[in-house]
Amino acid sequence: MIRSLLDTMWVAVYELGEAVRTRLFQLVILAYLGGIGFSVWLYAKILASAEAQLAETLGVPATTKPGAMLPQLLQNGDIQQWLSPFVGGDDAAHALLSQPVLGLWVGIFSMGLLPMVLVFTASGTVSAEVRSRSIRFLLVRTGRLEIAFGKLFGQLALGVTAAALGIVLAWGMGLFMVSGNPPLALFLTLCVRTAWSVAFSLPFLGMAVGASLLIGNPNGARVLSALTFFFMPMAAAILHELVRRHGADGVGRLCDFVALAIPTEYWADFWSTDPGVLAAALGRSALLATVFFAAGFARFQRRDL
């Protein structure tokens, strides 16, 4: 057991070192950081525009740096209206607004971007080595389960690295571009929201690694993962429409059950302030990640390497 855990750890370390040196990973990380930086810039622009309108209404001079009139915007309910479509409604937005708004805003973008990072970096992790036959060098030293788990945890470490860099970038830009942000409170909110983004991304990681275990060609695995990722919201919408049409009959119940396997359905749960809802959302993410990973590993276990 200990030997298996050590082998898994060393495969994860190997995966982390190899992936950091690839151009694809570097480009994807830059794209993620660019998206996080854009979110802070967009927040500053929207806030500046809202404050300018509020200053004109009140007949006072406009602020030179956005953020000074944020308490007034919170009282007017403008910020709540911005957030409510993304966090599951007005009640969820109202409950969250005790935290720095910038941290919540960046959290929305992080939850959207981090799954894409994991899908595009993890989907070729095993299939590339299967195609080149370099995976045989790992098989000499350890088993297939340890390789698969090591690749999975190595890619998770890459996602956490990207998320941590995003926190630093958003925190620095936020303090520089927007006034009125308590540094410690903003940092803690960014850490919490990014941690939930990682949790939300777990099924997408399991899906990407599962595709890489299932298909021996990295391009094929990436295409499968990307198509699945982008068509998930459409599939969820179709299933909900079928449930609405068929109600509680057999088709409706089947569609409702299938919808449980779509990770995007749990977006709003990760914005809840109820610990029970958050714990259930985390459990479902971990379960879906395990199911997707196991589906790919079932094929990998029988593959001729």
Side-chain angles (χ1 to χ4, degrees):
M1 181 64 177
I2 295 177
R3 175 60 185 275
S4 179
L5 292 174
L6 287 174
D7 285 350
T8 300
M9 181 193 71
W10 284 116
V11 173
V13 171
Y14 163 80
E15 176 69 12
L16 183 62
E18 286 294 308
V20 167
R21 290 191 290 269
T22 62
R23 184 170 298 177
L24 175 63
F25 173 75
Q26 295 166 3
L27 291 174
V28 170
I29 290 297
L30 287 175
Y32 175 76
L33 294 179
I36 294 298
F38 172 76
S39 73
V40 178
W41 175 85
L42 182 63
Y43 173 82
K45 290 296 182 182
I46 294 175
L47 188 59
S49 176
E51 288 186 348
Q53 293 178 7
L54 181 60
E56 183 179 355
T57 301
L58 297 176
V60 298
T63 57
T64 57
K65 190 175 183 180
M69 302 183 73
L70 183 60
Q72 288 84 355
L73 291 173
L74 288 171
Q75 290 177 357
N76 294 344
D78 293 344
I79 300 295
Q80 183 172 321
Q81 291 179 5
W82 298 353
L83 291 177
S84 59
F86 301 103
V87 300
D90 290 336
D91 292 340
H94 179 74
L96 289 166
L97 283 176
S98 61
Q99 305 170 40
V101 179
L102 177 57
L104 302 175
W105 180 261
V106 172
I108 293 170
F109 279 78
S110 178
M111 280 184 69
L113 293 171
L114 196 56
M116 287 192 285
V117 169
L118 293 172
V119 164
F120 284 103
T121 58
S123 54
T125 179
V126 178
S127 53
E129 295 199 31
V130 170
R131 185 178 65 173
S132 67
R133 302 295 184 182
S134 61
I135 199 167
R136 294 178 177 181
F137 294 101
L138 286 175
L139 284 171
V140 172
R141 295 168 174 81
T142 188
R144 300 190 185 208
L145 183 61
E146 289 78 9
I147 292 173
F149 271 125
K151 295 283 188 178
L152 178 72
F153 290 122
Q155 290 294 326
L156 178 60
L158 290 172
V160 171
T161 300
L165 292 174
I167 290 172
V168 174
L169 177 65
W171 185 73
M173 288 184 64
L175 294 180
F176 177 75
M177 297 181 66
V178 182
S179 64
N181 281 308
L184 181 58
L186 176 60
F187 181 75
L188 291 176
T189 300
L190 287 169
C191 289
V192 171
R193 293 315 324 166
T194 303
W196 286 120
S197 297
V198 173
F200 175 73
S201 303
L202 289 177
F204 302 98
L205 172 63
M207 177 189 71
V209 176
S212 193
L213 292 167
L214 182 67
I215 300 175
N217 184 290
N219 292 328
R222 290 190 182 102
V223 168
L224 175 62
S225 298
L227 289 176
T228 305
F229 175 79
F230 286 114
F231 281 104
M232 275 183 178
M234 185 184 301
I238 293 172
L239 289 170
H240 284 306
E241 178 61 22
L242 291 173
V243 170
R244 187 188 67 82
R245 290 183 180 181
H246 292 275
D249 65 11
V251 175
R253 290 181 178 179
L254 177 62
C255 292
D256 208 19
F257 178 77
V258 174
L260 296 176
I262 300 180
T264 53
E265 289 291 280
Y266 306 117
W267 173 286
D269 291 349
F270 282 100
W271 291 95
S272 174
T273 55
D274 185 340
V277 174
L278 288 169
L282 176 60
R284 284 192 295 263
S285 282
L287 177 61
L288 286 177
T290 303
V291 170
F292 295 150
F293 172 82
F297 182 75
R299 173 70 180 95
F300 180 71
Q301 183 73 1
R302 300 190 303 270
R303 182 185 294 277
D304 182 11
L305 302 174

